[in-house]
Amino acid sequence: MNILKISFMAMLALLIYACQQPKTTQNSTQEQLPNYAAAFDTLIDGKEVKCYQLINKNKMKAVFTNYGGRLVSLLIPTQDTSFVDVVVGFKSIDDYITSTEPYFGATIGRYGNRIAKGKFSIDGVNYQLAINNPPNSLHGGKKGFQYVVWDAKQIDNQTLELSYLSPDMEEGYPGNLAIKVIYKLNDDNELIMQYEASTDKKTVVNLTNHAFFNLNGEGSGDILNHQLQINAKAFTPVDSTLIPTGEIVPVKNTPFDFTELTAIGARINLPDEQLKNGKGYDHNYVLQSKPSEKMILAAKVMGDKTSITMEVFTTEPGLQFYSGNFMMSKNSFKGGAKDDFRTAFCLETQHFPDSPNQRAFPSTILKPGDLYKTQSKYRFSW
């Protein structure tokens, strides 16, 4: 009887001890995944697709899928224990595959933004890219990185590493390009994006993330009353096909002046040729003449209904501001709302559009032996 009693007490002590031990990073992350995460579990091109979640000490959460290296959700905690999802996205892998807008939340490459007529040359050799935004090539071509299943490694609860080897002449780009992207959600409520790439043949590279934001929350209506500030004194005008003309024009006394906090919609419908070309804002802002070693403050946005504020920092020379002008109510987001006209905006850190054909723009050439390295972050406060 005493032996049985001692055994029972020993087992009880072991059980209590086990319950008190911290769970592993993997189990902790898996338990906190959103309820739609199972709809991402599949195989594409023979590779496993799934959801990954990052969470910081303040309970802010970022949800990714390695299909396209996409940011699916960015959840800001509120005082009543609910969340505001400030990134629009879908609740299943099928929705991303069939979407009429291919770039929601995606990691973009090899070349973010447009290249005129899909043509460029390096050392006298001409290259022809796929034309997927006639008459130009956009965001890497018909099968850009938004359709790639990235190799994913969750380093810890706050860090996700994505990697991909883009083979020589994929979508017409020269060189075997090895890419690594690290997404980290730190305890200062910053989503940090670190990009690295190397090549075995001279090529062009311009990587970015194409998250669509609504700081009032997904499905909350248009973003025209968001307050926006862009720390740029100039922008690059475009022609009717959204290719830069080569000019760098001051924003002062134009609808493109966001050097002070201004509502996105304050001037968006003015009879301006550049607004007509972009059907609103779809333009590159000149932050600096060349990339910097340290990140600079590029922009600040505040949601008018929630007062959630996002600051954008980058080492890149340019920032593409897109006001959701081609959103056409053809897709349904996670919460059921449609992707209605101008219900999200993008601030894409980058080199300038069509740089391979614009000698006056900062170069996007990557040579063998060199390392492409750039960093950006979104900082949130509420």
Side-chain angles (χ1 to χ4, degrees):
M1 188 70 178
N2 289 337
I3 294 174
L4 289 175
K5 184 176 181 180
I6 292 171
S7 298
F8 174 78
M9 294 300 293
M11 290 177 63
L12 181 61
L14 285 171
L15 182 60
I16 293 172
Y17 174 82
C19 290
Q20 290 176 340
Q21 297 311 297
K23 295 182 175 66
T24 64
T25 296
Q26 182 178 4
N27 289 339
S28 176
T29 301
Q30 288 299 108
E31 286 180 2
Q32 296 163 350
L33 283 170
N35 56 14
Y36 57 75
F40 285 80
D41 293 343
T42 188
L43 291 176
I44 296 177
D45 297 331
K47 299 181 70 174
E48 184 181 22
V49 176
K50 59 186 297 187
C51 272
Y52 301 84
Q53 181 165 267
L54 310 180
I55 182 170
N56 70 8
K57 70 176 184 180
N58 305 312
K59 305 305 180 183
M60 181 178 168
K61 302 176 183 179
V63 181
F64 291 86
T65 176
N66 59 323
Y67 177 68
R70 297 175 187 272
L71 178 59
V72 177
S73 289
L74 193 59
L75 299 155
I76 307 297
T78 63
Q79 292 182 348
D80 62 0
T81 71
S82 62
F83 290 88
V84 176
D85 192 349
V86 297
V87 165
V88 302
F90 300 135
K91 62 182 178 182
S92 76
I93 194 66
D94 290 339
D95 288 343
Y96 280 107
I97 291 172
T98 60
S99 173
T100 59
E101 163 58 71
Y103 305 117
F104 283 121
T107 299
I108 298 296
R110 287 189 188 190
Y111 196 95
N113 223 305
R114 293 172 175 83
I115 294 179
K117 299 180 181 178
K119 295 180 180 181
F120 65 92
S121 63
I122 299 177
D123 296 338
V125 179
N126 297 323
Y127 295 96
Q128 177 64 62
L129 310 175
I131 303 300
N132 63 322
N133 185 234
N136 306 311
S137 182
L138 174 65
H139 292 329
K142 291 182 179 178
K143 191 178 180 182
F145 292 172
Q146 74 274 10
Y147 293 128
V148 164
V149 180
W150 294 71
D151 294 321
K153 180 181 179 182
Q154 183 143 5
I155 307 300
D156 53 41
N157 269 353
Q158 295 180 235
T159 311
L160 176 67
E161 178 183 297
L162 301 174
S163 59
Y164 176 63
L165 178 61
S166 177
D168 182 33
M169 299 310 295
E170 182 176 49
E171 289 295 304
Y173 290 92
N176 293 294
L177 187 72
I179 309 115
K180 181 173 72 174
V181 183
I182 295 177
Y183 289 104
K184 182 177 181 64
L185 180 63
N186 67 22
D187 289 334
D188 293 323
N189 302 322
E190 297 173 335
L191 180 62
I192 301 172
M193 301 160 281
Q194 299 171 322
Y195 305 87
E196 291 185 4
S198 58
T199 183
D200 60 1
K201 187 185 296 185
K202 194 179 287 188
T203 191
V204 295
V205 186
N206 189 24
L207 305 178
T208 190
N209 180 274
H210 209 308
F212 283 66
F213 293 97
N214 186 321
L215 301 184
N216 292 331
E218 182 187 274
S220 63
D222 67 49
I223 44 81
L224 297 179
N225 289 321
H226 279 54
Q227 297 290 309
L228 171 65
Q229 182 176 14
I230 302 177
N231 292 328
K233 295 181 179 180
F235 76 108
T236 51
V238 294
D239 63 20
S240 60
T241 71
L242 298 179
I243 292 294
T245 63
E247 302 170 278
I248 293 178
V249 173
V251 299
K252 190 174 181 179
N253 298 322
T254 77
F256 293 83
D257 188 351
F258 285 94
T259 52
E260 296 182 359
L261 279 171
T262 304
I264 290 175
R267 301 179 294 248
I268 200 168
N269 294 316
L270 291 179
D272 178 87
E273 181 181 4
Q274 283 300 305
L275 290 174
K276 180 180 178 181
N277 287 346
K279 302 187 187 307
Y281 298 104
D282 195 0
H283 295 75
N284 169 66
Y285 280 76
V286 178
L287 302 175
Q288 49 193 349
S289 60
K290 61 181 180 179
S292 57
E293 292 186 3
K294 295 183 178 180
M295 286 188 283
I296 62 169
L297 177 60
K300 178 180 179 179
V301 199
M302 184 171 67
D304 56 295
K305 297 178 182 177
T306 61
S307 296
I308 292 173
T309 299
M310 179 177 80
E311 294 172 293
V312 183
F313 297 80
T314 188
T315 59
E316 288 287 271
L319 181 74
Q320 184 81 6
F321 170 41
Y322 171 58
S323 53
N325 315 308
F326 298 100
M327 301 176 75
M328 299 180 290
S329 308
K330 292 186 176 181
N331 307 284
S332 296
F333 292 135
K334 298 181 293 290
K338 291 287 188 181
D339 57 335
D340 293 335
F341 185 55
R342 294 176 178 163
T343 54
F345 66 90
C346 303
L347 291 170
E348 303 153 68
T349 56
Q350 57 171 29
H351 271 58
F352 303 173
D354 199 36
S355 289
N357 298 308
Q358 307 271 359
R359 292 185 179 180
F361 289 176
S363 175
T364 55
I365 293 286
L366 179 65
K367 301 175 183 178
D370 290 346
L371 180 66
Y372 171 97
K373 193 170 184 179
T374 182
Q375 184 172 216
S376 299
K377 68 181 179 183
Y378 299 117
R379 177 193 290 166
F380 292 85
S381 57
W382 56 87

